């Protein structure tokens, strides 16, 4: 039997991740596990994805092994919402019994880790939304482990790296302050020349080296020298030449900066984590006449759930009973509640504001719209944008080059010109500190995190940072007409009776015939009749002619409803109708003819309503720097011309099949260098894929349009398009500012180091200060998500 090659992915959140090099080190140590095929860290979200071959690895204690490896480089797993319970067992549990029991417990939903302690203890970490201590006790007993008592039950709050860092930073700072105090008393000598102040400075340095040493050694093992290793060398080097206060100050400033970096990066990541926490963990499932709380992961498609007023909807579904206003801000970015009643779709993460709803679940928790949004954002932040790729390549050569320069600075002057070794060795240490490009490497990802998150808050989902960059540089834009500039919902705009009947009679007859048809124009006609309170006529001998019209007998009279071509084929053609038809065509309307067994008795004009935001959107796109905007449509020229005229658009292309839309997009790329395409239908998919940036528009966009696009706009507010363009421009601008700031500071300190104008603590302050500057500058993009689309 062949080996199973199906791959499976496991996700683990990391704590204390503050630099790109740290992410690379974690990937390195986890990848060395024999059962791990691939390990990737998404620095933007602190998410570790581990790929294994299905069947290669028993699930038992997988998380424990990952945690052990991650801890080797000074990091931990962020166990969100975990709790732990410890039991005393009646006897010692050893292998293989321990392995069997562990496997059985890990098979229970929500159990994350199982550890046995000699002689008679077991500790279990679990998710309280899916399991309870009583369930775990029963599982232990069912698998042959007698339980005498529960020793303790407590909330499992992972001790994050930042908490340990905070404590050690405070202690280091206290030693330095006390040491400076004792420095006033030079006569307090402990042994020979060792004073109390010197001892305190050495202890402060040792604390710092102990903390960052593990990460530094890991970087050596992985042949990827990072700031932790360079700092260790700098501190030890300072001690070698007798600069104890300098070494202690360097390590204190470095730890303080790391603490601030972790805090600011977590602030950016928390915006995404807020989405993860948005959907409730349980759902109130209706079971006959009873209701019970069930974890959302255990709710099957077809189950009926109850959502009370004020509660958040836990799963995607269709309303079976009830009516309420639902706030879709989490999904579409639009804060105005939408009325939902029987037959309407609702989404996980939306808030039920008024009445109670009974909803039939249509998607599993992991397949919900909100889960899809989170997945898109995580994948988007894992992708490298062009600016980031450039920075990574630059940093790859920059750091080794400066390290070589530092070595030369330390040995060449003393050998060649007989300069003092201590002085030039100190300058080499300063160069080592400057050689780590922390600020440069972090300048792009922190901006992309913030930009992608700001877009998500407004219901704009970017599939990668590259598209956030590209959309800000668009010079031309192609926009689909139907469903994008217009609502894509035909409505009856006018009714022109001919040869005697009244307007209502024409509409009643047409609606009676079309009531058995299933297409959008038929729906529009029957909806208009219902709106006017017209009673439909019961008929028989209904006959549908696909793509043309329908025939039906009403009160023993045969009536036909359909297109001009259909009526012409049936022999209905008269001058009176031609004049009316021309008037409707000039307004861009679609004409539906109604005829009895003798003549045409009326013409119904159907039009697609233009969105109220379309005109403003086009104006704002021009203001954002888009030079050319073209409307593309498969509709006839008259309809395209009418919409173009109403929106003050100078250019349009009509009667376009899907492949001609692709050619139109390619022509715009040739003429303007880049082109965005926005559409919502299957026929738009090829053009979306061909564009520089393809944007799928609206909550009703087809699956193939969403798959072919690079950006998805949730909801139907077209003003999100210029907002996305502006967000892209701001992101590019901030990335450039960050890169220039980082390079400028590095350049200045490199120039000042050789003549000896800089010190170690100044170099650390500048390096870490630059990192904080670029992080805070990038975080400014998060505020874009809080502004209204109107710009007010």
């Amino acid at each position: 039997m062949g080996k199973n090659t199906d791959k499976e992915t496991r996700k683990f959140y990391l704590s204390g991740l503050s630099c790109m090099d740290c992410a690379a080190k974690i990937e390195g140590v986890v990848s060395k596990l024999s059962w791990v095929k691939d390990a990737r860290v998404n620095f933007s979200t602190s998410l570790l994805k581990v790929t294994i071959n299905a069947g290669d690895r028993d699930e038992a204690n997988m998380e424990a092994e990952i945690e052990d490896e991650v801890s080797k480089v000074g990091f931990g797993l962020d166990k969100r919402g975990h709790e732990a319970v410890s039991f005393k067992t009646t006897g010692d549990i050893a292998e293989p019994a321990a392995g069997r029991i562990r496997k059985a417990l890990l098979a229970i939903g929500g159990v994350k880790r199982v550890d046995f302690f000699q002689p008679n203890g077991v500790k279990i970490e679990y998710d309280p939304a899916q399991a309870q201590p009583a369930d775990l006790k029963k599982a232990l007993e069912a698998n042959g482990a007698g339980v005498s008592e529960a020793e303790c039950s407590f909330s499992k709050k992972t001790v994050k790296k930042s908490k340990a860092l905070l404590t050690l930073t405070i202690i280091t700072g206290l030693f330095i302050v006390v040491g400076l105090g004792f420095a006033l008393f030079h006569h307090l000598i402990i042994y020979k020349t060792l004073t109390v102040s010197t001892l305190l400075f050495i202890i402060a340095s040792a604390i710092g080296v102990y903390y960052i040493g593990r990460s530094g050694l890991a970087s050596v093992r992985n042949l990827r020298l990072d700031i932790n290793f360079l700092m260790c060398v700098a501190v030890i080097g300072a001690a070698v030449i007798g600069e104890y206060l300098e070494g202690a100050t360097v390590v204190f400033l470095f730890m303080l900066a790391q603490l601030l970096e972790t805090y600011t990066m977590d602030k950016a990541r928390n915006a995404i984590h807020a989405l993860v926490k948005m959907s409730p963990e349980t759902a109130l499932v209706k079971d006959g006449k009873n209701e019970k709380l069930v974890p959302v992961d255990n709710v099957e498609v077809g189950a009926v759930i109850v959502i009370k007023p004020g509660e958040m909807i836990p799963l995607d579904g269709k309303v079976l009973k009830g009516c309420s206003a639902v706030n879709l801000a989490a999904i579409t970015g639009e804060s105005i509640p939408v009325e939902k009643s029987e037959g309407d779709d609702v989404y996980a993460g939306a808030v039920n504001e008024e009445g109670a709803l009974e909803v039939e679940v249509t998607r599993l928790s992991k397949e919900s719209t909100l889960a899809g949004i989170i997945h898109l954002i995580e994948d988007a932040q894992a992708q490298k944008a062009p600016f980031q790729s450039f920075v990574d390549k630059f940093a790859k050569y920059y750091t080794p080059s400066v390290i070589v320069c530092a070595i030369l600075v330390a040995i060449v002057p003393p050998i060649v010109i007989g300069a003092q070794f201590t002085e030039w060795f100190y300058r080499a240490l300063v160069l080592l500190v400057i050689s780590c490009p922390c600020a440069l490497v972090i300048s792009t990802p922190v901006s992309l995190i913030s930009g992608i998150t700001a877009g998500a808050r407004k219901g704009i989902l970017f599939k990668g940072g590259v598209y956030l960059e590209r959309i800000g540089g668009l010079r031309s834009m192609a926009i689909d007409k139907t469903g994008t500039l217009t609502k894509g919902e035909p409505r009856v705009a006018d009714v022109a009776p001919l040869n005697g009947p009244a307007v209502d009679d024409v509409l009643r007859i047409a609606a009676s015939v079309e009531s058995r048809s299933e297409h959008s124009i038929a729906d529009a006609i029957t909806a208009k009749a219902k709106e006017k309170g017209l009673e439909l006529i019961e008929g028989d001998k209904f006959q549908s002619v696909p793509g043309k019209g329908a025939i039906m007998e009403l009160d023993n009279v045969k009536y036909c409803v359909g297109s001009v071509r259909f009526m012409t084929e049936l022999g209905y053609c008269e001058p009176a109708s031609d004049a009316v038809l021309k008037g409707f065509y000039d307004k861009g309307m679609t004409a539906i003819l109604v005829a009895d067994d003798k003549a045409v008795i009326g013409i119904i004009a159907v039009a697609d309503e233009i969105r109220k935001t379309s005109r403003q959107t086009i104006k704002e796109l021009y203001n954002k720097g888009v030079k050319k905007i073209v409307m593309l449509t498969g509709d006839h020229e008259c309809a395209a011309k009418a919409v173009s005229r109403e929106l003050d658009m100078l250019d349009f292309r009509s009667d376009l099949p899907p492949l001609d839309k692709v050619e139109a997009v390619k022509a715009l790329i040739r003429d303007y260098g880049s082109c965005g395409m926005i559409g919502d239908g299957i026929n738009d998919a090829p053009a979306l894929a061909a564009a520089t940036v393809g944007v799928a528009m609206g909550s009703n966009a087809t699956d193939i349009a969403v798959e072919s696009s690079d950006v998805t706009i949730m909801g139907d507010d077209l003003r999100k398009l210029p907002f996305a363009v502006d967000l892209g421009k701001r992101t590019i601008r901030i990335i450039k500012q960050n890169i220039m700031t980082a390079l400028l500071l590095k350049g200045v300190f490199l120039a000042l180091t050789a003549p000896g104008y800089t010190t170690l603590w100044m170099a650390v302050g500048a390096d870490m200060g630059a990192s904080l500057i670029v992080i805070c500058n990038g975080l400014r993009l998060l505020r874009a998500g809080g502004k209204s689309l109107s710009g007010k």
Side-chain angles (χ1 to χ4, degrees):
M1 191 172 188
K3 190 175 181 179
N4 190 351
T5 57
D6 292 337
K7 292 184 177 180
E8 295 181 355
T9 301
R10 301 290 183 270
K11 295 181 179 181
F12 305 92
Y13 281 99
L14 302 164
S15 65
L17 190 62
S18 61
C19 70
M20 298 286 284
D21 279 332
C22 301
K25 281 187 291 184
I26 292 172
E27 289 177 352
V29 295
V30 174
S31 295
K32 289 178 181 177
L33 289 170
S34 60
W35 45 272
V36 172
K37 300 304 175 186
D38 187 45
R40 289 285 180 269
V41 174
N42 183 340
F43 172 72
S44 303
T45 54
S46 288
L47 183 65
L48 167 64
K49 288 186 178 181
V50 179
T51 303
I52 64 173
N53 281 342
D56 270 9
R57 176 64 184 165
D58 196 318
E59 292 287 336
N61 251 12
M62 180 186 293
E63 182 175 311
E65 290 192 45
I66 294 288
E67 185 173 18
D68 290 342
E69 293 301 315
V70 170
S71 67
K72 289 179 181 178
V73 289
F75 297 91
L77 298 186
D78 187 355
K79 302 170 184 178
R80 298 150 193 259
H82 289 200
E83 293 197 359
V85 60
S86 294
F87 296 100
K88 282 187 176 180
T89 58
T90 54
D92 184 18
I93 302 177
E95 297 293 350
R100 176 178 53 79
I101 295 173
R102 181 184 291 114
K103 184 175 181 180
L105 288 170
L106 288 168
I108 299 173
V111 175
K112 304 298 181 182
R113 178 167 181 165
V114 179
D115 291 305
F116 288 94
F117 300 98
Q118 301 298 332
N120 56 348
V122 58
K123 182 171 143 184
I124 306 169
E125 289 181 17
Y126 65 96
D127 182 348
Q130 296 179 271
Q132 293 298 321
D135 302 323
L136 303 177
K137 181 180 178 182
K138 288 179 182 177
L140 280 169
E141 292 172 338
N143 285 277
V147 178
S148 60
E149 61 177 299
E151 192 175 64
C152 63
S153 180
F154 59 93
S155 175
K156 175 65 179 179
K157 294 182 179 178
T158 303
V159 179
K160 292 188 176 183
K161 183 184 178 187
S162 57
K163 291 184 178 179
L165 179 57
L166 174 62
T167 303
L168 292 177
T169 303
I170 293 172
I171 293 173
T172 303
L174 288 174
F175 271 108
I176 293 173
V177 171
V178 176
L180 287 171
F182 275 106
L184 298 174
F185 305 96
H186 299 288
H187 60 281
L188 293 177
I189 298 174
I190 299 175
Y191 177 75
K192 293 184 179 181
T193 59
L194 181 62
T195 63
V196 173
S197 60
T198 300
L199 178 62
L200 292 173
F201 295 148
I202 291 173
I203 293 173
S205 299
I207 292 172
V209 171
Y210 165 77
Y211 178 76
I212 63 179
R214 281 190 302 170
S215 293
L217 289 174
S219 72
V220 175
R221 287 195 297 267
N222 291 321
L223 300 178
R224 184 175 179 136
L225 301 184
D226 67 356
I227 188 65
N228 294 285
F229 171 77
L230 298 174
M231 283 295 167
C232 286
V233 173
V235 173
I236 294 171
V240 168
I241 61 176
E243 297 288 348
Y244 302 110
L245 174 58
E246 192 100 358
T249 305
V250 163
V251 81
F252 171 73
L253 288 175
F254 176 70
M255 293 168 71
L256 179 62
Q258 288 274 291
L259 191 66
L260 293 173
E261 278 187 26
T262 301
Y263 169 76
T264 50
M265 283 303 302
D266 282 346
K267 184 176 180 181
R269 293 178 182 126
N270 285 341
I272 294 300
H273 297 335
L275 285 174
V276 178
K277 296 176 182 177
M278 188 174 291
S279 184
E281 295 180 339
T282 59
L284 188 60
V285 178
K286 194 169 183 180
D287 185 12
K289 294 183 179 181
N290 300 319
E291 297 173 355
K292 61 180 180 179
L293 280 174
V294 177
V296 290
D297 290 340
N298 296 343
V299 179
E300 299 292 334
V301 172
V304 178
I305 58 176
V306 178
I307 300 104
K308 297 177 181 178
E311 290 184 346
M312 189 169 285
I313 298 172
L315 295 156
D316 289 3
K318 190 177 292 292
V319 178
L320 294 179
K321 185 178 179 182
C323 180
S324 179
V326 175
N327 191 324
L328 296 170
I331 306 300
T332 66
E334 298 162 6
S335 58
I336 300 175
V338 178
E339 289 292 328
K340 296 289 182 179
S341 57
E342 185 176 333
D344 290 335
D345 292 323
V346 292
Y347 307 102
V351 177
N352 178 28
E353 295 198 342
E354 295 176 356
L357 295 174
E358 289 187 11
V359 174
E360 180 184 2
V361 176
T362 56
R363 288 195 184 106
L364 298 174
S365 174
K366 63 182 180 181
E367 298 170 353
S368 70
T369 301
L370 183 61
I373 290 173
I374 294 167
H375 177 71
L376 271 176
I377 295 170
E378 289 181 343
D379 281 355
Q381 293 182 338
Q383 296 180 27
K384 289 187 178 181
F387 273 117
Q388 188 173 346
S389 298
F390 159 74
V391 167
D392 288 349
K393 288 179 182 177
F394 178 84
K396 181 179 179 181
Y397 297 103
Y398 169 81
T399 300
S401 299
V402 179
I403 290 175
V404 170
C405 288
I407 294 172
L408 294 175
V409 166
I411 61 176
V412 172
I415 294 174
V416 176
I417 62 174
Q420 187 179 1
F421 174 76
T422 304
E423 179 184 345
W424 287 93
F425 182 72
Y426 181 85
R427 294 180 187 182
L429 293 178
V430 175
L431 269 181
L432 279 180
V433 173
I434 296 173
S435 69
C436 193
C438 293
L440 186 62
V441 172
I442 208 171
S443 61
T444 301
V446 70
S447 304
L448 294 177
I449 295 171
S450 301
I452 291 170
T453 303
R457 286 177 174 176
K458 287 297 183 184
I460 304 167
L461 307 180
F462 294 91
K463 291 185 178 179
V466 59
Y467 306 116
L468 181 58
E469 284 188 21
R470 284 181 184 175
I471 201 169
L474 290 179
R475 307 293 291 171
S476 65
M477 186 79 72
I479 306 180
D480 172 55
K481 178 180 78 72
T482 306
T484 305
L485 290 171
T486 66
K487 291 184 176 180
E489 300 171 356
R491 60 178 180 82
V492 174
D494 200 355
V495 179
L498 298 172
N499 301 317
V503 169
D504 285 354
D505 291 334
V506 173
L507 188 59
R508 179 185 291 107
I509 291 168
S512 299
V513 174
E514 293 285 26
S515 63
R516 297 191 184 182
S517 296
E518 294 182 356
H519 56 82
S520 57
I521 292 179
D523 293 340
I525 293 172
T526 54
K528 187 67 175 179
K530 183 178 180 181
E531 178 188 316
K532 298 189 72 171
L534 302 178
E535 186 176 348
L536 302 187
I537 306 167
E538 288 292 331
D540 55 12
K541 298 182 180 179
F542 175 79
Q543 180 184 354
S544 175
V545 183
K548 296 182 179 181
I551 302 171
M552 189 175 185
E553 283 192 10
L554 304 174
D555 295 333
N556 297 320
V557 177
K558 185 174 78 170
Y559 290 94
C560 303
V561 179
S563 65
V564 175
R565 185 194 306 175
F566 182 48
M567 291 300 180
T568 302
E569 290 175 359
L570 295 177
Y572 295 99
C573 186
E574 54 185 88
S577 64
D578 290 342
V580 177
L581 287 172
K582 185 178 184 304
F584 287 156
Y585 286 154
D586 288 343
K587 295 178 181 178
M589 299 178 180
T590 298
I592 301 298
L593 277 62
V594 183
D596 59 16
D597 52 4
K598 297 177 182 178
V600 175
I601 61 173
I603 302 176
I604 298 175
V606 178
D608 188 1
E609 186 178 356
I610 296 175
R611 295 185 190 277
K612 294 179 180 178
T613 57
S614 294
R615 180 189 291 269
Q616 179 187 347
T617 295
I618 292 167
K619 183 179 178 181
E620 287 186 12
L621 284 173
Y622 280 123
N623 291 337
K624 301 298 181 187
V626 178
K627 300 299 182 184
K628 181 76 170 180
I629 301 176
V630 179
M631 180 180 72
L632 306 181
T633 180
D635 211 341
H636 57 80
E637 184 178 358
C638 291
K641 185 181 291 184
V643 173
S644 179
R645 183 170 56 244
E646 188 166 343
L647 295 177
D648 293 331
M649 294 184 70
L650 299 177
D651 202 357
F652 66 88
R653 308 280 190 277
S654 61
D655 299 299
L656 295 179
L659 292 181
D660 285 353
K661 286 186 178 181
V662 172
E663 291 305 315
V665 167
K666 287 181 177 179
L668 287 170
I669 293 175
R670 284 195 301 270
D671 294 341
Y672 294 91
S674 61
C675 174
M677 169 69 193
I678 179 166
D680 70 327
I682 293 174
N683 62 330
D684 299 319
L688 290 171
T692 308
V693 179
V695 183
M697 172 68 192
S699 53
N700 294 323
T702 60
D703 289 342
I704 192 169
V706 172
E707 287 296 323
S708 302
S709 67
D710 309 309
V711 182
T712 300
I713 292 180
M714 306 297 291
D716 298 312
D717 191 344
L718 198 57
R719 291 175 300 170
K720 292 178 183 178
L721 183 58
F723 178 86
V725 171
D726 185 58
L727 183 62
K729 288 182 178 296
R730 293 181 61 189
T731 302
I732 293 172
R733 187 165 60 247
I734 285 178
I735 288 174
K736 289 180 178 179
Q737 290 171 357
N738 285 349
I739 292 175
M740 291 303 297
T741 299
L743 289 176
L744 183 63
L745 279 171
K746 292 290 182 186
V748 168
F749 269 80
L750 283 172
L752 294 176
T753 298
Y757 294 131
T758 56
T759 62
L760 273 175
W761 67 266
M762 289 172 62
V764 173
D767 187 73
M768 296 300 112
S771 296
L772 293 175
I773 289 171
V774 300
I775 290 173
C776 293
N777 194 35
L779 289 177
R780 289 194 300 122
L781 286 166
L782 286 174
R783 291 185 296 177
K787 294 182 179 179
S788 68
L789 292 173
S790 63
K792 297 178 181 179

